[in-house]
């Protein structure tokens, strides 16, 4: 995780950021981020990346790269506003002894924002349509020797795969069907049996419920309707709701603020 010392909305690269220019509350952002970190620390160890001035989105460490078995596939950001993060992320992974893997320079790839490991079915879900290049998925499949399922995103509010899909414990998968093409919805249905699919409605999706940190049975998220909370509990999951409203202004929530190492 990266502390939000320099977090703000300083440019617009997704619909959530529109009209939010300079409207984040630094103190509230720090309180919300700290509460998220403390919740995670009850179940996992948290390493930190130092914040930098003029890189407000560095807090969204999910986009630093995709980590698997001590290796990292570094991100290559679509927008020039975030490209300054790449060198900082690379240095962090080098200093922490990760094996560095890279995609060809012409391909954009936004890391764990668009590539989600689903350990219970040994596959990697890879999103494209807004940020990561369509050709990233087949290359990741070779690079990481893991099966991938490529999904096409169509709703600009759900521009990263981790804003609309979350693999959970015991093979459950929470997702917002409206964010995907018909073919991609079919691909999800082929890979996940009906009794393991938790389809959420638009209202819950807009609460960033799918942007959840999953640690074994625990699901940490910004918010969810009472009906969705019941559904998740019936699936045997434990919930921790922790408000992240300041980060929603930049188009991110719990999962975006973390990178599973
Ligand atoms: N403002 C950031 C962007 O648009 C938010 C990134 C959220 N990260 C994520 N993994 N969904 O790039």
């Amino acid at each position: 995780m990266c502390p939000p010392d320099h977090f703000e909305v300083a440019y617009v690269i997704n619909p959530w950021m529109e009209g939010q220019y300079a409207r984040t509350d630094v103190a509230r952002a720090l309180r919300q981020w700290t509460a998220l970190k403390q919740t995670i620390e009850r179940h996992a160890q948290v390493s930190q990346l130092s914040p930098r001035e003029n890189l407000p989105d560095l807090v969204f460490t999910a986009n630093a790269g995709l980590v698997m078995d001590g290796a990292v596939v570094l991100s290559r950001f679509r927008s020039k506003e975030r490209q300054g993060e790449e060198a900082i992320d690379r240095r962090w992974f080098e200093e922490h002894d990760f094996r560095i893997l890279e995609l060809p320079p012409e391909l954009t790839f936004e890391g764990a924002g668009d590539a989600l490991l689903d350990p219970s079915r040994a596959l990697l879900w890879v999103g494209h349509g807004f940020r990561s290049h369509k050709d990233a998925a087949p290359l990741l499949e070779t690079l990481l020797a893991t099966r991938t399922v490529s999904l096409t995103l169509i709703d600009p509010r759900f521009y990263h795969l981790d804003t609309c899909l979350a693999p959970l414990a015991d093979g459950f998968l929470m997702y917002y069907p409206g964010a995907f093409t018909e073919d991609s919805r079919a691909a999800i249905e082929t890979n996940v049996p009906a009794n393991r699919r938790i389809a959420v409605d638009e209202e819950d999706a807009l609460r960033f419920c799918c942007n959840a940190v999953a640690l074994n049975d625990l699901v940490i998220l910004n918010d969810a309707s009472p009906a969705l909370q019941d559904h998740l509990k019936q699936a045997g999951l434990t919930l921790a709701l922790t408000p992240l409203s300041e980060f929603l202004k930049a188009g991110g929530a719990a999962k975006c603020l973390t990178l599973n190492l």
Side-chain angles (χ1 to χ4, degrees):
M1 297 180 73
C2 172
D5 304 31
H6 302 295
F7 170 68
E8 59 175 334
V9 175
Y11 45 78
V12 176
I13 55 170
N14 69 53
W16 297 86
M17 300 173 100
E18 272 160 34
Q20 297 294 354
Y21 181 78
R23 291 184 73 172
T24 49
D25 179 327
V26 185
R28 190 184 295 138
L30 182 59
R31 280 199 301 276
Q32 294 181 340
W33 182 88
T34 304
L36 171 65
K37 178 166 172 275
Q38 286 169 347
T39 304
I40 294 172
E41 277 175 337
R42 287 197 273 276
H43 308 271
Q45 193 189 321
V46 175
S47 304
Q48 289 198 28
L49 170 70
S50 303
R52 304 295 158 100
E53 240 175 298
N54 301 318
L55 290 175
D57 278 337
L58 195 63
V59 288
F60 297 114
T61 50
N63 300 123
L66 168 66
V67 173
M68 195 176 148
D69 301 333
V72 60
V73 182
L74 292 175
S75 290
R76 207 167 275 118
F77 287 93
R78 171 91 189 261
S79 57
K80 61 174 182 337
E81 288 88 345
R82 295 198 67 182
Q83 286 166 3
E85 297 177 34
E86 291 171 18
I88 290 160
D89 294 331
R90 175 189 286 270
R91 199 166 320 132
W92 192 94
F93 287 115
E94 283 170 356
E95 283 169 6
H96 291 78
D97 296 325
F98 283 79
R99 197 156 55 87
I100 308 281
L101 302 173
E102 285 177 275
L103 295 173
E106 66 278 9
L107 293 191
T108 57
F109 173 60
E110 298 200 354
D114 270 333
L116 301 177
L117 287 164
D118 191 340
S120 53
R121 42 185 68 84
L123 74 77
L124 183 68
W125 301 98
V126 186
H128 67 91
F130 295 102
R131 300 293 182 87
S132 299
H133 195 284
K134 194 179 194 309
D135 294 345
L139 293 172
L140 288 169
E141 182 154 311
T142 315
L143 210 54
L144 298 169
T146 181
R147 188 165 79 90
T148 59
V149 175
S150 183
L151 300 173
T152 310
L153 302 170
I154 51 168
D155 184 332
R157 298 170 301 174
F158 304 103
Y159 56 94
H160 275 143
L161 185 61
D162 70 357
T163 63
C164 50
L165 183 135
L168 304 174
D170 284 333
F172 284 99
L173 186 93
M174 173 163 58
Y175 71 116
Y176 171 54
F180 299 94
T181 58
E182 210 175 299
D183 283 357
S184 294
R185 285 200 296 271
I188 293 170
E189 289 162 15
T190 306
N191 282 281
V192 184
N195 66 0
R196 287 290 177 275
R197 296 197 292 265
I198 301 176
V200 307
D201 63 18
E202 185 181 21
E203 227 175 289
D204 269 319
L206 290 171
R207 293 183 175 108
F208 264 75
C209 69
C210 294
N211 199 248
V213 175
L215 292 170
N216 300 319
D217 292 351
L218 178 67
V219 183
I220 306 170
L221 69 183
N222 169 62
D223 197 11
S225 63
L228 176 59
Q229 290 184 42
D230 282 349
H231 196 158
L232 291 166
K233 285 178 195 160
Q234 275 159 26
L237 301 161
T238 306
L239 302 191
L241 268 50
T242 186
L244 293 161
S245 55
E246 291 310 304
F247 299 97
L248 260 65
K249 296 174 182 173
K255 162 68 170 55
C256 302
L257 290 167
T258 67
L259 178 64
N260 193 332
L261 297 171

